[in-house]
Amino acid sequence: FEKEFPKSMRAKGKHPNFVKSHLLRIRNYPLTLFGSRKIDELKKGDFEQYWVWRVENAMRRNPHKKELTPYTPSNNTLRYEGTSLNHLFEFAVDNGWLVSAPEIKKPPLDEARRPTFTLAEYRILTRQMREWVKEGEKWGSVGRDRFVVQQNILILANSGARVGEIRNLRWRDLRTTKAVGSDTDQVVERLVARVSGKTGSREVTFQEGSDRYVKNLFDLRTKELGHPPELNEFVICHPTGEAIGYIRGAWETLMDFTGLRFNDKGERRTL
């Protein structure tokens, strides 16, 4: 499965990080519980028991204590695992390993929204991010990494796009359009991005003036390469041009640096 599934997904045009994330979810808890079972033995009832076991046995690494600690995963996290399992069984059916896939009833969606920033907090975030980037410059490539994350966060805040959508964004997906300015009746150019993620493909329009964050990344890559980046290159990328998969670690570091990790209700801010 681990050899053939990535090939199948690449043939369907799926991003390497899409494949990597699904394999990681399957290897973790599902393989721990079902590893000794044959795939055609698993039935609907097994997965109803799995969700209970999964919550009771959830562990994650504490970055400060360097050890695993128990936690309660959100229903949305569990639903992602259910999606990964569905991909596994669909692949098994397509390859003739199973006659039909078992029904996997996912937990309901969490209705609570992620904690947001007030306007005052957002101003603190944008101001402190500049200092965070400067601090990173003391450690060589860390400065470059933080600069890219800074632009990534500002792009997310000014486009309404999701994290995964910007992660998959390439230069070819960008265009400009004319629109009436927010403060005047004059027609201005606005940046539009064709993004794709877990909900499919759609277009998002950037706030007026926020195209400069994309230009900052374009200028960075032009300087690194000695010429403009190829249209097929990822906008959020490493110096090698490879897409930056996840920025959660950098986000946690930034939240600690700014003192904005929790809102006034004690809720943890996440991307």
Side-chain angles (χ1 to χ4, degrees):
F1 172 76
E2 290 201 36
K3 291 181 180 179
E4 299 302 322
F5 179 70
K7 294 179 185 178
S8 173
M9 293 298 102
R10 282 198 297 270
K12 295 179 180 180
K14 297 296 184 181
H15 190 277
N17 288 329
F18 172 91
V19 179
K20 183 179 179 181
S21 63
H22 284 301
L23 288 177
L24 184 62
R25 292 189 194 112
I26 292 169
R27 286 194 201 106
N28 203 357
Y29 291 95
L31 192 59
T32 299
L33 183 62
F34 298 132
S36 62
R37 304 274 300 276
K38 291 184 178 180
I39 194 170
D40 57 359
E41 293 177 352
L42 299 176
K43 307 299 180 187
K44 177 181 178 181
D46 292 311
F47 295 101
E48 292 175 354
Q49 295 174 17
Y50 170 75
W51 300 128
V52 176
W53 175 88
R54 171 69 173 88
V55 172
E56 292 176 346
N57 291 273
M59 302 285 286
R60 65 181 170 196
R61 189 168 300 281
N62 185 317
H64 302 292
K65 297 182 179 180
K66 306 297 182 183
E67 61 184 26
L68 294 174
T69 56
Y71 80 105
T72 302
S74 69
N75 278 3
N76 291 343
T77 295
L78 300 181
R79 288 176 65 84
Y80 287 138
E81 287 183 19
T83 298
S84 297
L85 287 166
N86 280 330
H87 279 297
L88 183 151
F89 288 111
E90 289 168 5
F91 183 80
V93 171
D94 290 343
N95 284 271
W97 303 339
L98 285 178
V99 175
S100 61
E103 180 184 350
I104 300 177
K105 186 177 180 180
K106 300 178 187 177
L109 279 168
D110 288 329
E111 294 183 0
R113 297 180 63 86
R114 295 179 180 182
T116 56
F117 295 95
T118 64
L119 179 58
E121 288 171 334
Y122 181 72
R123 287 171 176 163
I124 293 172
L125 174 64
T126 55
R127 184 174 65 250
Q128 288 292 311
M129 271 199 296
R130 293 193 288 272
E131 299 304 316
W132 182 66
V133 172
K134 287 180 182 178
E135 180 192 66
E137 291 171 353
K138 300 175 184 176
W139 305 306
S141 63
V142 175
R144 192 264 185 198
D145 294 341
R146 289 188 177 186
F147 177 77
V148 173
V149 170
Q150 177 194 32
Q151 307 313 307
N152 193 343
I153 291 170
L154 292 169
I155 288 170
L156 290 168
N158 287 276
S159 68
R162 301 180 178 91
V163 174
E165 292 174 331
I166 296 301
R167 182 189 307 136
N168 296 330
L169 186 67
R170 299 174 189 258
W171 294 109
R172 69 186 182 201
D173 300 322
L174 297 166
R175 66 179 180 85
T176 57
T177 187
K178 295 187 182 299
V180 176
S182 56
D183 298 324
T184 68
D185 292 332
Q186 294 182 343
V187 174
V188 297
E189 279 198 341
R190 299 274 285 276
L191 190 64
V192 177
R194 167 65 63 178
V195 297
S196 59
K198 60 185 180 181
T199 59
S201 178
R202 65 190 181 111
E203 283 195 338
V204 296
T205 303
F206 284 62
Q207 295 290 333
E208 185 179 346
S210 60
D211 55 317
R212 66 180 182 273
Y213 308 129
V214 176
K215 187 178 185 302
N216 288 342
L217 294 172
F218 183 86
D219 291 344
L220 172 67
R221 288 303 286 151
T222 299
K223 182 177 180 180
E224 290 177 336
L225 296 168
H227 57 78
E230 299 292 334
L231 291 177
N232 198 44
E233 185 177 278
F234 292 102
V235 173
I236 308 296
C237 71
H238 293 288
T240 59
E242 180 184 0
I244 294 177
Y246 297 94
I247 63 171
R248 185 177 300 169
W251 172 262
E252 296 289 338
T253 302
L254 175 61
M255 290 298 97
D256 285 338
F257 185 89
T258 60
L260 296 171
R261 180 182 288 275
F262 301 99
N263 67 6
D264 57 2
K265 296 180 180 178
E267 297 170 325
R268 190 186 189 95
R269 290 190 169 96
T270 60
L271 274 176

